[in-house]
Amino acid sequence: MVDVNSKDAASRSLETIQRQSSGDPAKPPRWDIIELLFFAYRDFVGDPDDVLDQFGFGRAHHRVVHFVHRYPGLKVADLLDVLRITKQSLGRVLKQLLDEGYIVQKSGEADRRQRLLFATAKGEALVAQLAGLQTDRINRALKDFTPVEVEAIGRFLSAMIDRNDPDKVLQVILSQASAKTDGRTNKT
Amino acid sequence: MVDVNSKDAASRSLETIQRQSSGDPAKPPRWDIIELLFFAYRDFVGDPDDVLDQFGFGRAHHRVVHFVHRYPGLKVADLLDVLRITKQSLGRVLKQLLDEGYIVQKSGEADRRQRLLFATAKGEALVAQLAGLQTDRINRALKDFTPVEVEAIGRFLSAMIDRNDPDKVLQVILSQASAKTDGRTNKT
DNA sequence: GAATTTACGTCAACCATATTGACATATCTT
DNA sequence: AAGATATGTCAATATGGTTGACGTAAATTC
């Protein structure tokens, strides 16, 4: 069992630490958000795992096929920026997805060195299935929230993301997110 | 570059998929939340990485020492529930943290088979430093939010977590989260 | 009190996913 | 023609996860 004197010991050490690290007791750690994020993400990414298993895939494959599906014509270099892994690491799982027909490559027209990536119907179906599971969880969670609250949640997640990031895909996502926010803000 | 006909192709294939998988066009995937969560969590857990590197540790060590610090007297079995890994996998990183003095074990008084885990001062300092980085990001993100909005964000994260989970630590966290919510709700 | 179950540890093999470093090829840019 | 860029590939290595088997001590049950 979790020791119920947790609160006791935790808060005692907390005070000590505050002074040690920053000397600013006005900025206590956000334990609540830190831990809620951990568990929320754990369960969120856990949903697709069983399905992926059936396909003989892992989370790496999910990430790749997801972003390729969502941003058709994505370059390999873009994908590396998004996933923040090396090309060698990407290579392995990308090759599997290509070999098994979830993704296809086309040479860029303007720059024929580029390999533009596209999801096949097979790839789209897989992404849709996985996104369906995650969407169900999200819809369940948002069931009793007002549109204004939902907007605030999106704005928070968006604000948690690094801005100084030359990631093309991220730019699209953030501009879409702020477009929605602007719309709502005007209405208010 | 991300192909700018993304929107085009993505929405075309989307309609197709909706009908395929569920036949319910009223439940489009929540692409926005799905992707915001991915990027937010990527950057959120990315903060501690550099510090951990300096200590010769990885994210696995972070998770272990974090929960031990936060819930002093945590049993090994509890930790396994929280982290959802096997004892063999936990064993490796736990042994390192014990050997290097970030964590200590005590036998349970009531049940002497149990090894209750406690963070040392060294362990607490590490957790505090890492939590400081993540707290900075959270505070930055929440800077312009109203208390009501912040409460909604916590409620959302909480609602994203599986309920049917006999995890003791999680029960504490969720009860704390709902306690806060209740307080605010009464005030409203 | 003996048998069984529980909590934990450990050995060993293996797998997925990541890394660094070196090098190759085709293509674009200068 | 020279150099830079986009991608692919070979090889070695690290981290963190898995399954399976087995051991020990302590609690529980019969």
Side-chain angles (χ1 to χ4, degrees), chain B residues 162-177:
Chain B
D162 283 338
R163 251 54 194 179
N164 56 346
D165 189 330
D167 177 333
K168 309 282 170 41
V169 168
L170 192 46
Q171 297 317 317
V172 173
I173 292 171
L174 291 178
S175 66
Q176 285 171 355

Side-chain angles (χ1 to χ4, degrees), chain B residues 71-131:
Chain B
Y71 304 91
L74 203 61
K75 290 188 309 177
V76 168
D78 292 327
L79 207 39
L80 293 177
D81 283 344
V82 172
L83 302 180
R84 298 218 178 138
I85 56 177
T86 57
K87 64 179 173 181
Q88 294 91 328
S89 192
L90 174 61
R92 251 192 322 234
V93 345
L94 187 54
K95 196 169 189 307
Q96 284 179 274
L97 290 168
L98 288 165
D99 288 349
E100 301 183 29
Y102 291 85
I103 288 177
V104 291
Q105 287 180 328
K106 294 181 192 173
S107 292
E109 286 189 13
D111 185 337
R112 285 178 23 214
R113 291 171 303 177
Q114 300 174 348
R115 304 301 157 85
L116 309 186
L117 303 170
F118 300 85
T120 62
K122 204 172 161 187
E124 291 187 344
L126 176 56
V127 171
Q129 189 180 352
L130 299 173

Side-chain angles (χ1 to χ4, degrees), chain A residues 41-42 45-49 52 57-65:
Chain A
Y41 198 78
R42 181 192 70 172
V45 299
D47 282 337
D49 283 351
L52 287 163
F57 290 147
R59 289 180 188 174
H61 302 86
H62 184 189
R63 293 194 287 268
V64 170
V65 74

Side-chain angles (χ1 to χ4, degrees), chain A residues 138-159:
Chain A
I138 294 167
N139 284 335
R140 244 181 290 130
L142 290 179
K143 188 162 51 71
D144 298 324
F145 283 76
T146 66
V148 175
E149 287 174 324
V150 174
E151 178 272 326
I153 289 160
R155 202 153 33 89
F156 164 69
L157 291 175
S158 173

